[in-house]
Amino acid sequence: MLSRVVIVVSVLLAAALAGHRIIPELGGFTPVWESILPWVGLAVPLLLLGALMARSTVAAAVALVPGLVWAVMFGSTLLRTPPGGSSDLRVATVNVGVTNSDSGQAMRKIADGLDLVAAQELTPGGPAARQLDRMFRYKYPVGTVGLWSRWPLSEQSKLDVGLGWPRALRTVVSTPKGKITVYVMHLASARPGHTAFRDKSLAHARRLVDDDRSKRILLMGDLNTATTDRGMSGLTPPLLDAQREAGDGFGFTWPSSFPITRPDHILYKGMTATRAGVAPAVGSDHRAALASLRL
């Protein structure tokens, strides 16, 4: 009996992994499932243990199938070596936490030595904004999101990504090696059974990128969409994911105490990512996402 259970669960798990993008929406279950896909590999040792207890070589062989599928999907993420090399731009994005009284301290540690910092869940005039004002000469805050820069900003515009109010921005950064069009976004939240609003804001973001003819684009923010969520296929491509291209591991950012997924992203085109990673953000329930890029 135990061997049959192991075989059935293994087959279903392998199919759910390999075919996760074709699983229809099931009451909001699908985004949750896709968000935790990297963790599904932990089930394989349990299945092998069950096969061992059942003393079934057939069950053990079948239990390896989801492990092989997982390895094909995510093995390169764990084995990848960041390309490294010189970089012209160091950036970060962080959801500072609207009730975070330590957000100024978080920004002081994260932003030190960076060229651009994108922030979400800002309190206008709050500790995070004040700290960033002391560290950077140029800024463009829009409500609860903002960008701080070492270099001048131009062509500034507030953006509504389908929420009914501006919670995103676009600006052009004039670096010593040329201009970069930068978007900072905080998309709608995605909760089990309630993803339609998030999907709508993702579609808005994609239209903005598609309509932008800039040579270099950098999109940073809390997109409320995991790297493995099918919703990200609306943005990657046409953009590249810095963590996927130059990161070490999965780069999970939420929740900060024990990150299990990555809703915070640094996406780009027209540049080369050389490094990517995460950093703690004191008091926030998110960790910061960081990247270095070569123009």
Side-chain angles (χ1 to χ4, degrees):
M1 179 63 180
L2 180 57
S3 63
R4 291 181 181 178
V5 171
V6 171
I7 291 171
V8 170
V9 172
S10 299
V11 170
L12 291 175
L13 195 60
L17 273 170
H20 70 94
R21 290 190 181 277
I22 62 173
I23 297 175
E25 290 285 348
L26 301 172
F29 164 78
T30 309
V32 176
W33 168 248
E34 291 186 321
S35 296
I36 64 170
L37 283 178
W39 296 93
V40 174
L42 296 176
V44 175
L46 297 178
L47 292 170
L48 289 171
L49 178 61
L52 180 63
M53 293 173 62
R55 298 182 180 180
S56 170
T57 55
V58 173
V62 176
L64 290 174
V65 175
L68 290 173
V69 174
W70 187 95
V72 170
M73 293 174 65
F74 302 115
S76 61
T77 299
L78 297 179
L79 298 175
R80 178 176 51 232
T81 300
S86 62
S87 61
D88 306 301
L89 186 68
R90 296 184 63 204
V91 305
T93 181
V94 59
N95 182 321
V96 300
V98 67
T99 61
N100 181 9
S101 60
D102 294 323
S103 60
Q105 180 182 351
M107 290 296 95
R108 184 168 61 252
K109 292 182 178 180
I110 292 167
D112 184 36
L114 299 185
D115 303 305
L116 299 175
V117 175
Q120 305 87 51
E121 287 200 14
L122 284 167
T123 300
R130 293 197 304 271
Q131 179 61 41
L132 288 168
D133 285 349
R134 289 191 285 267
M135 300 176 74
F136 294 90
R137 182 176 179 182
Y138 304 98
K139 65 177 179 178
Y140 181 39
V142 174
T144 58
V145 302
L147 179 72
W148 277 258
S149 171
R150 285 183 56 195
W151 299 301
L153 306 175
S154 62
E155 302 180 38
Q156 300 170 346
S157 56
K158 302 176 182 179
L159 301 175
D160 174 10
V161 283
L163 301 175
W165 67 90
R167 202 163 79 166
L169 64 86
R170 178 190 185 275
T171 187
V172 174
V173 181
S174 297
T175 79
K177 290 197 173 182
K179 293 184 177 182
I180 305 169
T181 297
V182 179
Y183 290 89
V184 178
M185 298 182 178
H186 188 183
L187 301 188
S189 298
R191 296 180 175 85
H194 302 278
T195 62
F197 209 15
R198 190 282 311 271
D199 295 342
K200 179 182 177 182
S201 62
L202 268 172
H204 271 262
R206 174 58 189 267
R207 285 195 292 272
L208 289 167
V209 171
D210 283 344
D211 292 342
D212 198 314
R213 296 293 170 248
S214 302
K215 178 182 177 182
R216 300 186 183 106
I217 293 178
L218 180 63
L219 190 160
M220 301 187 287
D222 179 357
L223 306 186
N224 276 308
T225 310
T227 304
T228 47
D229 190 315
R230 69 186 66 180
M232 281 298 289
S233 63
L235 287 173
T236 55
L239 304 179
L240 296 172
D241 184 327
Q243 181 65 29
R244 185 176 296 170
E245 299 298 320
D248 184 5
F250 293 105
F252 298 137
T253 60
W254 184 89
S256 58
S257 56
F258 189 86
I260 60 173
T261 189
R262 183 181 172 88
D264 306 281
H265 298 279
I266 298 173
L267 311 179
Y268 67 95
K269 79 169 187 178
M271 299 172 278
T272 300
T274 58
R275 294 180 184 82
V278 300
V282 180
S284 175
D285 61 342
H286 289 246
R287 296 188 182 187
L290 299 91
S292 297
L293 301 115
R294 183 166 56 246
L295 276 60

